[in-house]
Amino acid sequence: MGPVVTSVRLNVAVLFLLTMWLKTDVTEAMVVTSTEPQTIQKAQGETVQLGCTFTPGSEDTGELDIEWYNVNPDMTQKDNLILSYTGGQTHYYSAAITMSQRLKFLADPKLGDASISLSDVKPSDTATYQCKVKKAPGVDMRKITLVVMVPPSTPKCWVEGGEEKGGPVSLRCKSSQGSTPVSYTWSRESGGAIPATATQDPQTGELLIKNHTDGNIGTYVCVAKNTVGQGQCKYALNAYNPTNKVGVIVGAVIGALLLLLLLLLLIWLLVCCCHKRRYEKEVANEIREDVKAPESRPSSRNSSFRSVMAYRTHPGVHYSSVRNHHPSIREAGGSAGIYTGESNGTSQPTTAGERLPSLNYDHRYGYAV
């Protein structure tokens, strides 16, 4: 039994020594810790702290190097370096231009605290951040996910449809802004509890009352809520007597018929007006065609009379051609004669003292004939 006991004791001693060696090795390595959760939710506009404390090992004697990254969701792409601490200096990088004024170390990193704070957070700051601490030969890292949420805006309350007795009534509630998921809860502020027959949907914000009565009258409150905030609105519900739907339909039909008749009357009046204008135009044209020609002015009459007196042909008077060398009119001593040619070649002048045949004025032609 002696050798067996000795062997067992030796094995236990070796195992103990090996365990102590491993424990000592782990303790002496660089370790990054944090008391904050891996995922942090913050409301828009708040300030968040991303914890990253570290403990170097006994053999970690190199220069301290701290780097904060914005982890790229695409694993095939490299992460974005936003902040670093090297050689006792803090450096900001192009990936953090929009947050450089809001990003800073909480304490002196040389004291073992690489935590940072980010103020006035925005939805665009939602990401996974990684803290990496190096002090050769030790190195360790930690990741923290930040979710920036928008609180629900003040919701709007309204009733969809009517508030008639005996029928269904649908109360609605909706926030225009707010990070999902947003839940809606209806309660009754006055008038008692919500009717037992009413049902509500926390996702759509609808409160449905199937059989509306006077007992449902009161003020209802809707609360819109998510993990970072909430808002509420109120609606005063009434109950009205149902309207006479048959009368409304009949009135609508009669109104439509009257409107149609009025339209037809206007069209008929327009057509009649067009026909009347056309008829008046045609009558005016006929009147202008039947009007007598205007009488000639006295000057025109005298002119016509003189022209007739000079050029009217008389029986027994012969007008010679221009080619004939005999003058047709002679003037001698203030008396004029008209040359008349006879068939025998003789001529007898007509003196001015002789009386010419009388002439009559003809209204059809406008001169004497």
Side-chain angles (χ1 to χ4, degrees), residues 172-187:
R172 294 280 186 169
C173 177
K174 188 68 175 178
S175 291
S176 59
Q177 296 180 352
S179 299
T180 58
V182 179
S183 62
Y184 300 93
T185 305
W186 281 95
S187 61

Side-chain angles (χ1 to χ4, degrees), residues 18 34 101 133 141 340:
L18 182 61
S34 177
Q101 300 297 327
V133 180
M141 63 188 67
T340 58

Side-chain angles (χ1 to χ4, degrees), residues 23 112 123 152 258 281 331 349 358:
K23 184 177 180 181
L258 290 176
K281 186 176 181 180
E331 295 183 0
S358 61

Side-chain angles (χ1 to χ4, degrees), residues 207-221:
L207 174 64
L208 180 61
I209 302 175
K210 297 181 179 179
N211 186 16
H212 189 37
T213 62
D214 289 331
N216 300 330
I217 296 175
T219 302
Y220 292 77
V221 180

Side-chain angles (χ1 to χ4, degrees), residues 73 91 101 171 182 246 254 261 283 362:
H91 304 278
Q101 300 297 327
L171 287 171
V182 179
V246 176
I254 293 176
L261 290 176
V283 170
D362 194 336

Side-chain angles (χ1 to χ4, degrees), residues 262-275:
L262 180 60
L263 181 61
L264 293 175
L265 178 60
L266 292 176
I267 295 174
W268 180 77
L269 290 176
L270 182 62
V271 172
C272 290
C273 183
C274 293
H275 281 299

Side-chain angles (χ1 to χ4, degrees), residues 40 42-48 50 69-71 82 95-100 102-103 117-129 144-149:
I40 302 175
K42 286 291 182 177
Q44 181 179 5
E46 294 183 349
T47 299
V48 63
L50 304 179
Y69 290 90
N70 186 328
V71 179
I82 60 175
I97 292 178
T98 58
M99 62 174 64
S100 60
R102 303 180 287 122
L103 188 65
S117 68
L118 181 61
S119 61
D120 191 22
V121 292
K122 308 177 185 301
S124 58
D125 296 332
T126 297
T128 297
Y129 297 87
I144 305 172
T145 300
L146 172 63
V147 180
V148 181
M149 304 184 67

Side-chain angles (χ1 to χ4, degrees), residues 122-353:
K122 308 177 185 301
S124 58
D125 296 332
T126 297
T128 297
Y129 297 87
Q130 176 179 275
C131 173
K132 185 177 182 180
V133 180
K134 295 185 294 182
K135 193 173 184 180
V139 58
D140 197 7
M141 63 188 67
R142 182 175 186 266
K143 292 182 179 181
I144 305 172
T145 300
L146 172 63
V147 180
V148 181
M149 304 184 67
V150 179
S153 60
T154 301
K156 177 183 177 182
C157 292
W158 76 97
V159 63
E160 196 168 85
E163 301 176 50
E164 298 178 356
K165 299 177 184 179
V169 173
S170 176
L171 287 171
R172 294 280 186 169
C173 177
K174 188 68 175 178
S175 291
S176 59
Q177 296 180 352
S179 299
T180 58
V182 179
S183 62
Y184 300 93
T185 305
W186 281 95
S187 61
R188 195 171 181 182
E189 187 178 63
S190 63
I194 292 180
T197 57
T199 58
Q200 57 177 310
D201 189 337
Q203 295 181 351
T204 62
E206 179 187 17
L207 174 64
L208 180 61
I209 302 175
K210 297 181 179 179
N211 186 16
H212 189 37
T213 62
D214 289 331
N216 300 330
I217 296 175
T219 302
Y220 292 77
V221 180
C222 174
V223 177
K225 184 178 181 180
N226 62 8
T227 55
V228 294
Q230 66 180 28
Q232 69 175 23
C233 61
K234 299 180 181 181
Y235 186 85
L237 183 63
N238 297 310
Y240 302 106
N241 293 322
T243 58
N244 188 357
K245 297 182 179 180
V246 176
V248 172
I249 295 174
V250 172
V253 172
I254 293 176
L257 292 176
L258 290 176
L259 182 61
L260 180 61
L261 290 176
L262 180 60
L263 181 61
L264 293 175
L265 178 60
L266 292 176
I267 295 174
W268 180 77
L269 290 176
L270 182 62
V271 172
C272 290
C273 183
C274 293
H275 281 299
K276 183 178 179 181
R277 291 183 179 178
R278 186 181 300 175
Y279 174 75
E280 291 176 352
K281 186 176 181 180
E282 293 177 355
V283 170
N285 292 335
E286 292 178 358
I287 292 175
R288 283 195 294 269
E289 292 176 358
D290 294 340
V291 172
K292 293 181 178 181
E295 295 183 359
S296 301
R297 293 177 293 179
S299 59
S300 299
R301 296 177 183 177
N302 295 335
S303 176
S304 299
F305 179 75
R306 287 194 297 268
S307 63
V308 171
M309 288 296 293
Y311 299 102
R312 184 185 177 194
T313 60
H314 296 278
V317 179
H318 175 72
Y319 291 88
S320 62
S321 172
V322 176
R323 297 175 183 177
N324 198 343
H325 297 284
H326 300 285
S328 59
I329 300 175
R330 292 185 309 208
E331 295 183 0
S335 62
I338 301 175
Y339 175 79
T340 58
E342 301 291 344
S343 59
N344 54 5
T346 61
S347 62
Q348 296 179 357
T350 304
T351 62

